[in-house]
Amino acid sequence: MPSVLFYIFAAVMLGFGLLVVVLRNPVSNALALAVSFLGLAALFVSLNAFFIGIIQILVYAGAVMVLFLFIVMLLDIKAEQRRKLNMPAVAGGVLLVVAFSIQLISVLANFEPGKRRINEVPLDLPAAAAARVASGAPAASINATLNAGSLPDVNLVGETLFTKYNFHLQVIGVLLLVATVGVIVISRREDKNAPAAES
Amino acid sequence: MPVYSLEVAVVLLGLVLLMMEAFVAGKDKRFVAHTALLGLGAVLVGSFFVDRTPDASGFWSFYKADGLAMTYKAIALACTMLVIVLGLDYIPVLEKFTARVGGHGAWGEFFCLPVFICAGMMWMASASDLTSIFVSLELVTIAFYVMVTFMRRNVGSLEAGVKYLILGALSTGFLVYGFTWLFGVTGQTNLDVIAAKLNSGTVATVPAMFSFALILVALAFKIGAVPLQFWIPDVYQGAPTPITAYLSVGSKAAGFIVTTRILQVFLGSEALVHNCTAILLAVACATLLVGNLAAIPQTNFKRLLAYSSISHAGFLVLALAAGPAGAFGLAPGQIVAYYLAAYLIMTLLAFAVLVVINRTSGSDDLNAFNGLHQRSPFLAFALLVAVASLAGVPLTVGFVGKLLVFAAAVKASLWLPLGFAIIGAVAGFYYYLKVLRNMYWNAPAGGTLPAITLSGLTKATLLLLIAATVVLGVWWAPLFQLVRR
């Protein structure tokens, strides 16, 4: 990706991210966040992470943001009143930003592979396929796609998830079941004529 | 039978219970609890007869079945069973505060979800990889969010649930951030490989210490130690009492097995052990001080037990910080397991009495215990045994646990932390035994109250726990055998 596009999308992401904090109307906040996610997705695509880019749009910009908007509109949240700046909160925020920046800079300064540009290290797909065959990876169709010179990233994610991390997937399955049951327990509709509970 | 079939069996049991709860006719759902008890009991027995040898599959890099894991699995199963027994006693309160469906309180799931939590805690006991630690820990935490909020018509329960949710999410953030740093410096997720890498001297120490601090903060939330201990009194007070007991014992034990495993990684590294021990000792001393001194002025028995839970976490962290020597031939991890097994018995005994008091008087206040001796000498005696053991009176199981911790601290020559532990133990005598005055000497406020009748199951459970507290306090061998498997 040309660096011009990188700067455009990075500016979109950061600018709309800033608007999320600055705007006072909750609906505008949610929409600004969605646009910010779109910029982030474009950056993922520029790193050859096509699958994550698409998922970013489908799940975050699509599903999660629609959910946010639903809640904002259902609860009929009004635009926030302009408040006085809460100095301790601002100071804490600045402190956190500084702390994160220091961490980021120190990591980037120490991480040697990060100093090379992505154009300088092209993906060697046939070599990856050969390594897979050597390690006895089962899915032959993935190897074929790699040898043909295209990156089957969805297939690779799926393969890793359902073979190496199968155990985790099962545990997450139980977690989702528990969460579903829990939502029903906490939000179950009551009989209309139920007596009021004392608290 | 391979060892991982235990968790599979528990999850299947949970699914069967959910189905039974939904589709079996009848308004009285007590049979769900009874089925859960039978099933968990069968798994507990089965856990002593499983095949623990790992095979070549990749699964075993995420999962460990050493003796410590099996001990904690047994603790999780026993704790869940006792919590379900407590829940059966608590049904009248649940009936009042859960959603009304068809003219009845909807509390069937109260006996299904703990089974899934139990599976999560058993996975935590075996987790030996950052990824498997995270998913099993989240299963337990998220299920607890629901359980704490279960009595949704009670403001206290809702408030406790919101507090637990927000702080739990915060601590998860710390945990994942710490894991990221650990992965960043080592490039590995398996704990054994990380330990080898940290010990090889090629890893930068500053980022490693940074990840240690972040992970320790997150684990402090799970085990109830300083600096994330302040949620404990409020959440314990608001949650349904059996769930308070579950948080206090099950969740803490599961947090401690993960803490033990992660600390082994950091304390095994020569470059890091010095700083990590210093931080741990500071956490232990602060926890002992906060837990014990804040417990003294409490007038609510549930809050008192909450601060007591913090103070026990202090003793346990001290045992872990005391170094690899341990005491009486037990490694630090085994001392913690022993202490937690003892803690399970005495804490659940105290909560079992509290559930009955709460049901009959509607209050957790110390004043609700006034005249308990006249109303039910058996209950009063049960609580006497429980608080004596919590305080660490000799000839109770709690004494043995504290003795092991003190011995480990002496062996490691940690005199200052030992001083804090002694202050804590002495303060414990005061605030635990305070309830005795209410039970035996204070007259009840509204004249004489009716005698309390107990169900057969409750009576049997109380008797079992009293016997375990006293017998295991004199005859130490069985618990030693359990933790040294």
Side-chain angles (χ1 to χ4, degrees):
Chain A
M1 182 190 261
S3 60
V4 183
L5 285 181
F6 168 81
Y7 286 115
I8 292 176
F9 283 119
V12 166
M13 190 183 84
L14 291 176
F16 279 89
L18 199 64
L19 285 183
V20 176
V21 186
V22 173
L23 291 178
R24 289 290 160 198
N25 187 335
V27 178
S28 321
N29 290 148
L31 289 174
L33 193 57
V35 179
S36 177
F37 282 152
L38 285 180
L40 184 61
L43 292 183
F44 274 128
V45 170
S46 77
L47 292 170
N48 282 336
F50 299 100
F51 180 62
I52 299 181
I54 298 294
I55 287 295
Q56 179 79 21
I57 293 176
L58 282 182
V59 175
Y60 280 89
V64 173
M65 285 324 300
V66 169
L67 199 67
F68 273 22
L69 277 177
F70 255 123
I71 293 170
V72 167
M73 290 173 173
L74 270 180
L75 295 182
D76 193 22
I77 300 170
K78 296 285 186 314
E80 230 177 303
Q81 294 296 313
R82 222 161 251 293
R83 298 165 302 186
K84 270 193 288 180
L85 279 180
N86 181 354
M87 277 331 274
V90 172
V94 170
L95 199 71
L96 267 185
V97 170
V98 170
F100 277 112
S101 308
I102 292 174
Q103 287 171 30
L104 193 62
I105 291 166
S106 63
V107 168
L108 288 178
N110 287 313
F111 185 58
E112 291 301 326
K115 292 191 177 133
R116 287 188 293 174
R117 293 174 158 270
I118 195 162
N119 305 339
E120 295 165 12
V121 263
L123 290 174
D124 190 356
L125 299 178
R132 279 172 55 82
V133 171
S135 70
S141 65
I142 296 182
N143 295 344
T145 320
L146 281 171
N147 277 323
S150 69
L151 182 68
D153 51 354
V154 183
N155 305 25
L156 283 169
V157 168
E159 192 195 39
T160 318
L161 205 55
F162 285 100
T163 54
K164 188 176 177 197
Y165 292 104
N166 193 22
F167 166 59
H168 305 70
L169 197 71
Q170 312 289 336
V171 178
I172 296 282
V174 178
L175 196 163
L176 284 179
L177 173 73
V178 168
T180 316
V181 174
V183 166
I184 294 169
V185 165
I186 296 178
S187 65
R188 179 153 35 196
R189 186 204 297 260
E190 293 201 71
D191 295 351
K192 289 228 174 62
N193 49 5
E198 66 253 61
S199 51
Chain B
M1 289 268 273
V3 57
Y4 48 82
S5 51
L6 293 176
E7 285 93 356
V8 175
V10 172
V11 170
L12 287 179
L13 173 69
L15 291 175
V16 169
L17 292 175
L18 276 180
M19 291 294 145
M20 278 170 62
E21 202 277 326
F23 293 115
V24 175
K27 294 191 177 90
D28 192 1
K29 306 279 190 192
R30 270 165 229 265
F31 66 90
V32 176
H34 294 140
T35 318
L37 278 180
L38 283 179
L40 290 172
V43 177
L44 180 58
V45 173
S47 76
F48 288 90
F49 301 101
V50 285
D51 173 21
R52 295 200 266 136
T53 42
D55 55 29
S57 70
F59 170 71
W60 288 93
S61 70
F62 302 117
Y63 188 96
K64 213 177 212 169
D66 53 2
L68 211 53
M70 299 313 287
T71 309
Y72 276 96
K73 280 185 210 287
I75 289 179
L77 284 162
C79 178
T80 311
M81 287 172 70
L82 288 167
V83 164
I84 288 175
V85 173
L86 260 59
L88 280 169
D89 256 339
Y90 201 65
I91 286 176
V93 184
L94 291 175
E95 181 75 33
K96 202 158 106 193
F97 288 121
T98 49
R100 313 288 300 176
V101 177
H104 286 269
W107 41 262
E109 288 85 357
F110 194 80
F111 299 102
C112 305
L113 292 180
V115 174
F116 292 107
I117 297 182
C118 180
M121 295 197 297
M122 289 165 74
W123 275 319
M124 275 169 88
S126 280
S128 66
D129 187 287
L130 297 183
T131 53
S132 50
I133 286 176
F134 180 67
V135 287
S136 49
L137 194 133
E138 279 309 284
L139 169 58
V140 172
T141 312
I142 289 177
F144 263 119
Y145 296 154
V146 179
M147 293 312 289
V148 169
T149 330
F150 203 92
M151 301 194 299
R152 64 176 222 207
R153 285 150 66 91
N154 179 314
V155 179
S157 178
L158 283 179
E159 185 195 325
V162 171
K163 275 188 182 154
Y164 191 54
L165 173 68
I166 291 174
L167 282 170
L170 181 73
S171 88
T172 301
F174 276 112
L175 186 73
V176 182
Y177 197 35
F179 280 1
T180 316
W181 275 90
L182 196 54
F183 177 72
V185 288
T186 59
Q188 300 290 337
T189 57
N190 184 289
L191 287 181
D192 295 332
V193 186
I194 290 178
K197 201 113 186 180
L198 284 180
N199 216 1
S200 66
T202 56
V203 169
T205 49
V206 174
M209 281 310 294
F210 191 57
S211 82
F212 172 77
L214 288 167
I215 295 174
L216 190 64
V217 168
L219 291 175
F221 171 81
K222 293 304 294 179
I223 61 179
V226 171
L228 272 185
Q229 90 294 353
F230 44 82
W231 61 278
I232 288 200
D234 294 344
V235 173
Y236 278 26
Q237 192 181 8
T241 308
I243 297 308
T244 309
Y246 206 14
L247 270 176
S248 172
V249 180
S251 175
K252 190 188 286 279
F256 261 105
I257 175 65
V258 170
T259 311
T260 309
R261 292 219 194 276
I262 289 186
L263 286 185
Q264 263 170 6
V265 169
F266 283 100
L267 297 180
S269 156
E270 272 176 40
L272 302 174
V273 62
H274 189 71
N275 287 338
C276 290
T277 311
I279 295 177
L280 271 182
L281 285 176
V283 167
C285 292
T287 311
L288 281 166
L289 216 54
V290 167
N292 286 302
L293 297 188
I296 291 175
Q298 298 305 323
T299 56
N300 179 303
F301 193 61
K302 235 169 155 181
R303 282 185 90 83
L304 186 96
L305 284 174
Y307 283 106
S308 129
S309 147
I310 298 176
S311 95
H312 285 289
F315 284 107
L316 288 160
V317 175
L318 180 59
L320 285 177
F328 292 100
L330 294 184
Q334 292 169 329
I335 293 181
V336 170
Y338 193 109
Y339 197 110
L340 282 167
Y343 179 72
L344 178 144
I345 297 168
M346 57 204 190
T347 306
L348 283 169
L349 182 57
F351 272 109
V353 177
L354 178 63
V355 164
V356 178
I357 298 294
N358 186 301
R359 189 191 63 200
T360 49
S361 69
S363 157
D364 306 319
D365 228 55
L366 276 180
N367 290 334
F369 290 85
N370 284 353
L372 184 64
H373 178 59
Q374 277 93 43
R375 300 176 68 191
S376 170
F378 177 62
L379 270 184
F381 177 69
L383 194 58
L384 168 71
V385 172
V387 292
S389 180
L390 281 166
V393 174
L395 302 185
T396 61
V397 70
F399 170 74
V400 189
K402 279 213 173 68
L403 181 70
L404 287 171
V405 174
F406 280 89
V410 169
K411 213 165 181 180
S413 311
L414 302 169
W415 304 117
L416 183 68
L418 194 65
F420 280 97
I422 289 171
I423 293 174
V426 172
F429 271 94
Y430 172 72
Y431 62 77
Y432 285 125
L433 302 183
K434 202 161 66 170
V435 69
L436 298 187
R437 194 179 58 210
N438 290 71
M439 287 194 307
Y440 287 99
W441 286 284
N442 285 7
T448 44
L449 291 163
I452 298 171
T453 50
L454 297 171
S455 73
L457 184 64
T458 315
K459 229 178 224 165
T461 312
L462 284 171
L463 265 178
L464 178 77
L465 289 171
I466 294 172
T469 310
V470 177
V471 171
L472 295 173
V474 183
W475 185 37
W476 302 8
L479 275 186
F480 262 86
Q481 293 293 330
L482 182 76
V483 300
R484 288 174 75 173
R485 264 199 283 175

